[in-house]
């Protein structure tokens, strides 16, 4: 029996491929930097490349083995037959010229390609060629020939040339199933250049077939990416549309796959959101309408109550002590109620977008002084830094409300002295603004209250259930500043105390129109 090829044996053995490691975090980040379309195409091409490469590799391996095995089996069978049909006189001597002639005769009958036949008998060496010793025959093949009386073969590569080397020992048959080695071993060395050419051609064909396959795979990859990305684009556009306020936006559902389920879920969520927003808007509209209606309904009876309380206030000194105290309490509470009703009506006008800005060019410092004089805030509790000559287009009535609310809030909840500071600044974009600051010397505003300080009816002090104001002063101040196209913010000074900063464009006519 002839031994089959030994994998990994010989000088032309293949090297093990490098194992690919996992992608580094940088590589993963770079992969995520690609768009979804690119990533889908890359994934599709990767699968196609792996499939094509695997198929080509398996096909190449099988075809290569078939080509090599055919040549190998033919050569081994032919050499074994020639050795069995050739007789040798033993012992062989180095001066025996007949041995070389026998080897040449065996070499002439080589299949499928020419052989060079070598003989080794102890220290005797002979061949059918010019060199008596082969440099291709390996020690491993010699050991295999001595160990196996049926012969062995091996494929090796020498200087880039592939060879098939066959070892066939001469034996004496001593029985039906037993042989005795004679010590003479014949070797056949056959070049396999033709097979190598065929194998290289197979490799080229596998490679050339895989590359067009990848190019063809790009077309279904583009189609698949488009079919996946189209619903995603529609979802993005729908989400953007809903974000702009179009809550009736819906996505067309196609098919019954996962993307269709996503579209249905989006539509259901959008419908529920639209219903919830509609209900909230209706509730808000009802609340605004209720506040406006109640304010209007209370205005007339309150006017009568205020007239009565004024008369009672004038005669309170002539009444007994308990009655006078009750009369003054009723008068004060009626005044607070009147202020609350007026503030509610003002807020209702802002909510209904009915508030108008009647701007005029005014001297800002003089306007602030009039606000303070009209409310008798001229004592030592206030300090002003009001440079003359600053003119701006403002609605005097609404700016008066802004200053009065901020100063009154500082006097009620802050600490004296209260500083009112006026100046102008130029923003980075080059627009000049009017800056009005109202600072007090109190404990300041608690950090958790700062985000809500301009909310309606918000009380920074939870223990303060009653206040002198309506609880809408800062909310009305915010709306008036917005109507001027400006901004207002609240904060705390480093040394203690609250500060409110109002910034209004110097030319704000029609800003809130």
């Amino acid at each position: 029996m002839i031994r089959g090829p030994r994998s990994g044996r010989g000088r032309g053995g293949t090297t093990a491929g490098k194992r690919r490691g996992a992608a580094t975090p940088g590589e993963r980040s770079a992969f995520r930097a690609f768009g979804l379309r690119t990533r889908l195409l890359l994934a599709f091409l990767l699968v196609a490349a792996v499939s094509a490469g695997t198929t080509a590799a398996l096909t190449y391996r099988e075809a290569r083995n078939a080509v090599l095995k055919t040549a190998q089996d033919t050569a081994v069978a032919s050499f074994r037959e020639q050795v069995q049909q050739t007789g040798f006189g033993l012992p062989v001597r180095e001066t025996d010229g007949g041995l070389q002639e026998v080897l040449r005769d065996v070499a002439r009958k080589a299949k499928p390609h020419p052989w060079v036949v070598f003989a080794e008998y102890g220290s005797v060496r002979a061949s059918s060629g010019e060199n008596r010793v082969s440099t291709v025959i390996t020690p491993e093949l010699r050991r295999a020939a001595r160990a196996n009386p049926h012969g062995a073969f091996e494929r090796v590569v020498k200087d880039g040339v592939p060879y098939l080397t066959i070892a066939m020992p001469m034996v004496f048959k001593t029985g039906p199933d037993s042989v005795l080695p004679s010590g003479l071993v014949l070797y056949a060395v056959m070049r396999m250049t033709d097979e190598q050419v065929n194998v290289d051609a197979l490799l080229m064909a596998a490679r050339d077939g895989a590359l067009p396959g990848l190019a063809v795979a790009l077309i279904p990859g583009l189609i698949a990416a488009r079919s996946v990305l189209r619903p995603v684009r529609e979802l993005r556009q729908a989400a953007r549309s809903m974000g702009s306020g179009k809550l009736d936006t819906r996505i067309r559902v196609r098919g019954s796959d996962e993307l269709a389920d996503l579209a249905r879920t989006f539509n259901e969520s959008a419908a529920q959101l639209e219903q919830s927003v509609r209900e909230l808007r209706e509730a808000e509209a009802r609340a605004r309408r209720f506040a406006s209606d109640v304010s209007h309904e209370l205005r007339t009876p309150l006017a009568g109550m205020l007239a009565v309380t004024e008369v009672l206030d004038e005669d309170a000194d002539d009444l007994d002590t308990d009655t006078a105290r009750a009369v003054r309490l009723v008068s004060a509470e009626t005044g607070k109620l009147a202020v609350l009703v007026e503030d509610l009506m003002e807020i209702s006008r802002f909510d209904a977008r009915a508030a108008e800005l009647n701007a005029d060019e005014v001297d800002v410092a003089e306007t602030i002084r009039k606000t303070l004089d009209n409310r008798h805030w001229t004592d030592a509790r206030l300090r002003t830094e009001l440079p003359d000559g600053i003119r701006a287009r403002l609605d005097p009535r609404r700016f008066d409300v802004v200053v009065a609310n901020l100063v009154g809030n500082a006097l009620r909840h802050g600490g004296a002295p209260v500083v009112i500071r006026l100046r102008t600044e130029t923003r980075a974009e080059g627009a000049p603004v009017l800056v009005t600051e109202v600072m007090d010397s109190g404990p300041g505003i608690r950090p958790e209250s700062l985000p809500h300080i301009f909310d309606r009816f918000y009380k920074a002090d939870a223990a303060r259930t009653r206040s002198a104001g309506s609880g809408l002063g800062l909310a009305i101040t915010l709306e008036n500043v917005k109507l001027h196209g400006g901004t207002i913010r609240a904060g705390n000074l480093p040394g203690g105390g609250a500060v409110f900063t109002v910034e209004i464009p110097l030319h704000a006519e029609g800003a809130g129109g």
Side-chain angles (χ1 to χ4, degrees):
M1 296 294 293
I2 303 301
R3 299 176 59 185
R6 301 182 180 186
S7 60
R9 298 294 299 273
R11 302 177 185 177
T14 59
T15 59
K18 295 181 180 178
R19 187 173 68 88
R20 295 180 180 268
T24 64
E27 291 171 340
R28 289 195 296 268
S29 299
F31 185 74
R32 283 194 295 268
F34 292 110
L36 183 56
R37 176 190 292 273
T38 304
R39 285 152 58 187
L40 284 173
L41 286 177
L42 289 177
F44 195 91
L45 289 177
L46 178 62
V47 172
V50 171
S51 301
T54 303
T55 302
L58 293 175
T59 303
Y60 165 73
R61 188 185 68 179
E62 294 300 321
R64 173 180 176 275
N65 290 339
V67 169
L68 296 178
K69 189 173 184 301
T70 300
Q72 171 186 290
D73 291 350
T74 302
V76 170
S78 177
F79 186 59
R80 180 182 57 188
E81 181 181 356
Q82 295 301 321
V83 170
Q84 291 176 350
Q85 293 178 358
T86 303
F88 294 88
L90 298 177
V92 177
R93 294 180 176 82
E94 193 157 354
T95 57
D96 190 355
L99 177 59
Q100 187 176 19
E101 187 60 34
V102 172
L103 296 179
R104 290 174 180 170
D105 184 63
V106 172
R108 281 193 291 267
K109 301 175 181 178
K111 294 180 182 179
H113 305 300
W115 301 333
V116 177
V117 182
F118 297 87
E120 294 182 359
Y121 182 79
S123 60
V124 177
R125 301 291 185 266
S127 75
S128 61
E130 297 178 358
N131 298 321
R132 293 189 299 169
V133 179
S134 172
T135 59
V136 178
I137 300 173
T138 64
E140 290 84 357
L141 183 62
R142 289 188 172 94
R143 286 194 295 269
R146 289 193 295 267
N148 187 356
H150 302 289
F153 65 89
E154 188 177 31
R155 290 199 300 266
V156 298
V157 176
K158 176 71 173 179
D159 298 330
V161 180
Y163 294 91
L164 174 66
T165 57
I166 309 170
M168 194 68 61
M170 296 294 296
V171 295
F172 297 111
K173 201 166 187 180
T174 59
D177 297 319
S178 60
V179 292
L180 181 65
S182 65
L184 176 62
V185 181
L186 299 184
Y187 297 92
V189 177
M190 181 182 74
R191 284 176 176 257
M192 301 188 73
T193 51
D194 291 346
E195 284 73 18
Q196 186 63 42
V197 170
N198 293 334
V199 168
D200 292 341
L202 288 173
L203 180 60
M204 294 287 292
R207 185 193 65 186
D208 294 343
L211 292 179
L214 290 179
V216 173
L218 185 62
I219 298 175
L222 289 171
I223 297 174
R226 183 173 177 231
S227 65
V228 171
L229 291 179
R230 181 174 54 192
V232 175
R233 284 196 299 268
E234 292 178 355
L235 181 62
R236 180 189 61 189
Q237 293 171 356
R240 184 177 299 169
S241 179
M242 290 188 66
S244 64
K246 299 178 181 178
L247 300 180
D248 58 346
T249 303
R250 300 293 183 271
I251 301 176
R252 186 169 57 180
V253 179
R254 301 182 182 89
S256 58
D257 56 7
E258 290 80 0
L259 292 174
D261 292 339
L262 177 62
R264 292 191 192 93
T265 302
F266 177 87
N267 291 339
E268 293 171 359
S269 301
Q272 293 175 0
L273 178 62
E274 183 182 16
Q275 179 66 21
S276 300
V277 171
R278 184 186 299 112
E279 293 175 355
L280 288 174
R281 287 175 176 172
E282 292 173 355
E284 184 181 7
R286 287 194 299 269
R288 290 176 178 174
R289 190 164 51 251
F290 174 78
S292 178
D293 294 344
V294 169
S295 301
H296 280 85
E297 292 297 328
L298 289 176
R299 194 174 190 182
T300 301
L302 275 175
M305 293 172 63
L306 286 173
V308 172
T309 55
E310 288 178 1
V311 174
L312 292 176
D313 276 341
E314 293 176 357
D315 298 336
D317 293 337
D318 300 331
L319 302 175
D320 60 87
T321 304
D322 292 339
T323 304
R325 185 183 301 112
V327 167
R328 291 189 178 95
L329 178 62
V330 170
S331 178
E333 294 300 324
T334 303
K336 291 180 182 180
L337 183 58
V339 172
L340 175 60
V341 170
E342 289 297 328
D343 287 347
L344 284 173
M345 292 183 66
E346 184 72 5
I347 284 291
S348 299
R349 283 191 287 270
F350 282 118
D351 290 341
R353 304 291 190 271
E356 296 181 354
L357 189 72
N358 298 314
D360 193 11
E361 186 173 344
V362 298
D363 187 309
V364 183
E366 183 62 27
T367 301
I368 295 176
R369 292 190 190 100
K370 287 182 180 179
T371 298
L372 301 180
D373 291 341
N374 290 338
R375 290 162 178 80
H376 306 290
W377 292 334
T378 56
D379 53 27
R381 295 180 301 166
L382 270 72
R383 297 178 184 174
T384 59
E385 299 177 11
L386 306 174
D388 294 326
I390 299 178
R391 303 187 65 82
R393 295 198 64 83
L394 303 171
D395 185 324
R397 183 183 71 83
R398 296 191 180 280
F399 189 69
D400 173 81
V401 172
V402 170
V403 175
N405 282 343
L406 292 179
V407 175
N409 185 75
L411 291 173
R412 282 193 300 271
H413 307 300
V418 174
V419 180
I420 302 122
R421 182 179 297 161
L422 180 68
R423 67 178 186 276
T424 59
E425 291 182 358
T426 301
R427 290 289 172 256
E429 60 274 12
V433 294
L434 176 70
V435 181
T436 306
E437 290 181 332
V438 178
M439 298 168 281
D440 63 55
S441 303
I445 306 171
R446 293 185 299 177
E448 62 270 19
S449 299
L450 279 174
H452 311 286
I453 199 69
F454 295 104
D455 293 351
R456 299 175 185 182
F457 299 107
Y458 179 77
K459 297 179 181 180
D461 186 1
R464 181 169 52 87
T465 58
R466 292 293 307 275
S467 64
S470 65
L472 294 171
L474 291 180
I476 293 175
T477 300
L478 174 64
E479 296 295 339
N480 278 310
V481 171
K482 286 182 177 179
L483 203 62
H484 282 86
T487 60
I488 182 172
R489 61 181 182 273
N492 291 312
L493 296 170
V499 56
F500 288 83
T501 305
V502 177
E503 296 182 358
I504 297 176
L506 280 177
H507 307 288
E509 185 175 8

